[in-house]
Amino acid sequence: MNTQVCIIGGGPSGLLLSQLLHLKGIETVVLERQSREYVLSRIRAGVLEHGFAKLMREAQCGDRMEREGEIHDGFFIAHEGKMDRVDLHKYSGGNSVMVYGQTELTRDLYEARDRMKGIVIHNAEDVAPHDLKSDKPFVTYRVGSESKRIDCDFIIGADGFHGVSRKSIPAHVLKEYEKVYPFGWLGVLSRTKPVSPELIYAKHERGFALCSLRSQILSRYYIQVPLSDKVEEWSDEQFWDELKRRLPAEVAATLITGPTIEKSIAPLRSFVAEPMRYGNLFLAGDAAHIVPPTGARGLNTAGSDIHYLYQAMLAHYKNGDSTGLEQYSEKALTRVWKAQRFAWWMTTMLHNFPDTSEYDQKLKEVDLTYLFSSEAGQSSLAENYVGLPY
Ligand code: FAS
Ligand code: PHB
């Protein structure tokens, strides 16, 4: 098989790029290791920057997001038993975020690929990129016992943190940066009315908590837990009791609990791989970078990678201009590192770290006091949360 752009990974990064390029007449093939059901069973991001929402509309995949998603102009930070609101709309110059689950947007992208007869190959095993430094790279893979090959112009590594693409860049070329946090997030989904119309990020001496949502009948909650915790150690009742302890009393009193329909623990890490290009292999999304979800930057930073790659491929194929491809890694990494900083800052300010000195504890408290006493501080938070310019 021949194509122009072979995309490894059928998560939101790979699917969004495939859809955008297809609409401009650029051929793609998406190779996904898992089944579609498996990909759609993963519960991940919930908050989209306005730039990501714009990309979904440009990909002709925004209708259900507009119907079922919620525009949020702010969120709360709960601390010292009180609730302070961050007015995103006021402090970001009129922008907001779209609350719409990654699972749903991935479903929308799959349906658009099917509608336009896009080629998405599931259960692709032993995917391997080859001849990355040549102008005729190719990808091999196996479906069942049949070995296959795709010849292409470019390979996009959109295969997430555990994918094969980043590992195909020679070790002496790749520079990796990592920070592992000493805790994880225990997250649940419940078919209950959300406790708050807007998200609540709670800083508490017992640990961080987050109240989010997927719709007015589907709530998403998280609590910080030690890395040693196992999800099976947490009953629904224990989760709800602990969440209530970490929320202001008047909020906890209105929390509607119910059976959880999903429960999992995600470790928190920060990670960046440089460069994001090697020959004709381009890394995008979690294949190149990971952030703790505190700042809702994960999926949204994949969005800017895809925007840069989409524009660069367009210029290359339509105008013979490869400047965007040559500048991709540097341009993408500039925004990646800004997202890393913001996610680190939100995580450090809101979580309990074991062995924090009393001095450092005071600094974390004054971070919040300063934030809500300064319009400049809230503008900085707001412009990062709604999404820095692409
Ligand atoms: P993905 O990992 O989503 O997709 C990569 C795809 O490549 C997968 O479908 C995988 O099966 C496939 N693949 C892997 N190896 C392959 C191979 N060798 N061959 C072919 N295919 C291969 N972000 C937030 O903003 N908020 C959150 O709350 C949040 N929660 C998260 C919870 C968890 C447990 C995880 C892991 C991530 C979370 N994230 C969150 C970040 C997440 O949303 C990512 O940013 C987002 O999935 C990035 O999308 P992709 O880059 O497409 O990578
Ligand atoms: C979510 O709804 O899953 C979510 C929202 C905001 C975050 C992290 C996760 O910062």
Side-chain angles (χ1 to χ4, degrees):
M1 188 191 297
N2 281 286
T3 191
Q4 290 172 301
V5 182
C6 182
I7 300 172
I8 303 176
S13 295
L15 292 169
L16 178 56
L17 181 61
S18 172
Q19 180 65 7
L20 288 165
L21 292 176
H22 178 103
L23 290 171
K24 295 295 182 187
I26 298 171
E27 291 170 14
T28 65
V29 173
V30 176
L31 291 172
E32 167 53 50
R33 176 165 62 181
Q34 305 289 357
S35 69
R36 186 168 297 190
E37 295 66 34
Y38 182 91
V39 173
L40 293 175
S41 69
R42 295 188 300 227
I43 309 295
R44 289 187 172 168
V47 171
L48 306 180
E49 294 174 357
H50 61 97
F52 197 104
K54 187 162 172 262
L55 274 177
M56 286 293 285
R57 296 183 194 104
E58 191 166 351
Q60 296 181 15
C61 293
D63 291 350
R64 194 159 70 99
M65 176 186 72
E66 303 291 2
R67 285 198 312 274
E68 298 177 14
E70 290 186 7
I71 301 283
H72 282 209
D73 290 331
F75 63 82
F76 292 94
I77 294 181
H79 61 113
E80 318 294 331
K82 61 185 177 156
M83 297 266 278
D84 280 320
R85 184 169 185 269
V86 177
D87 188 335
L88 294 172
H89 192 263
K90 175 180 177 186
Y91 288 113
S92 72
N95 282 312
S96 49
V97 292
M98 170 71 78
V99 174
Y100 187 62
Q102 174 175 325
T103 307
E104 298 319 312
L105 73 88
T106 305
R107 194 189 315 280
D108 298 336
L109 288 164
Y110 268 127
E111 285 170 5
R113 292 285 60 220
D114 294 346
R115 197 167 57 245
M116 297 182 182
K117 307 272 183 284
I119 304 175
V120 180
I121 297 167
H122 284 280
N123 305 309
E125 297 181 78
D126 302 335
V127 175
H130 303 274
D131 288 4
L132 300 179
K133 297 294 267 186
S134 84
D135 58 3
K136 291 197 178 311
F138 64 97
V139 179
T140 56
Y141 66 99
R142 183 171 52 80
V143 176
S145 58
E146 250 193 289
S147 295
K148 307 267 188 180
R149 169 174 166 146
I150 298 176
D151 290 281
C152 52
D153 301 330
F154 302 106
I155 301 170
I156 308 298
D159 47 351
F161 183 71
H162 301 290
V164 65
S165 300
R166 187 181 68 251
K167 297 162 190 161
S168 302
I169 298 178
H172 73 273
V173 172
L174 202 63
K175 174 75 181 140
E176 296 183 342
Y177 302 84
E178 186 165 35
K179 180 182 181 65
V180 177
Y181 294 86
F183 39 74
W185 279 17
L186 167 59
V188 303
L189 262 185
S190 62
R191 294 197 193 290
T192 53
K193 180 169 173 38
V195 72
S196 165
E198 293 180 326
L199 273 62
I200 302 173
Y201 289 80
K203 173 180 167 49
H204 192 276
E205 60 190 13
R206 296 179 66 91
F208 170 82
L210 172 60
C211 302
S212 184
L213 57 108
R214 293 293 179 270
S215 70
Q216 285 309 309
I217 55 167
L218 190 60
S219 297
R220 179 73 167 159
Y221 295 106
Y222 298 93
I223 57 172
Q224 171 187 347
V225 292
L227 278 177
S228 53
D229 275 18
K230 302 278 177 288
V231 66
E232 52 272 13
E233 294 166 351
W234 282 88
S235 69
D236 286 3
E237 188 184 4
Q238 286 168 321
F239 177 86
W240 294 123
D241 289 347
E242 187 57 36
L243 176 62
K244 285 178 186 172
R245 292 188 194 103
R246 300 186 186 186
L247 296 174
E250 75 277 11
V251 177
T254 61
L255 178 70
I256 298 171
T257 66
T260 60
I261 57 173
E262 195 270 349
K263 192 189 290 176
S264 56
I265 294 181
L268 269 60
R269 79 156 56 92
S270 298
F271 174 85
V272 180
E274 296 184 355
M276 289 175 59
R277 173 187 189 180
Y278 178 71
N280 284 313
L281 170 68
F282 295 82
L283 302 181
D286 278 19
H289 42 75
I290 297 282
V291 281
T294 325
R297 290 308 90 192
L299 178 59
N300 289 306
T301 311
S304 44
D305 295 347
I306 296 311
H307 167 81
Y308 298 138
L309 276 173
Y310 166 51
Q311 295 300 332
M313 291 290 174
L314 222 46
H316 170 80
Y317 280 109
K318 301 303 179 191
N319 313 324
D321 173 3
S322 295
T323 314
L325 293 173
E326 281 139 30
Q327 293 175 350
Y328 167 70
S329 179
E330 185 180 348
K331 194 168 187 179
L333 283 166
T334 300
R335 195 173 187 274
V336 162
W337 277 109
K338 290 175 185 174
Q340 292 282 326
R341 182 208 69 83
F342 180 67
W344 161 81
W345 175 72
M346 284 282 278
T347 303
T348 304
M349 181 169 68
L350 296 173
H351 287 74
N352 277 8
F353 286 69
D355 317 323
T356 299
S357 71
E358 287 180 337
Y359 178 82
D360 286 345
Q361 195 52 42
K362 291 298 282 182
L363 278 187
K364 282 145 64 80
E365 286 159 21
V366 79
D367 227 348
L368 269 173
T369 313
Y370 163 70
L371 176 66
F372 287 109
S373 67
S374 160
E375 302 228 326
Q378 289 172 77
S379 297
S380 173
L381 192 169
E383 71 166 358
N384 278 278
Y385 196 88
V386 301
L388 295 175
Y390 284 175

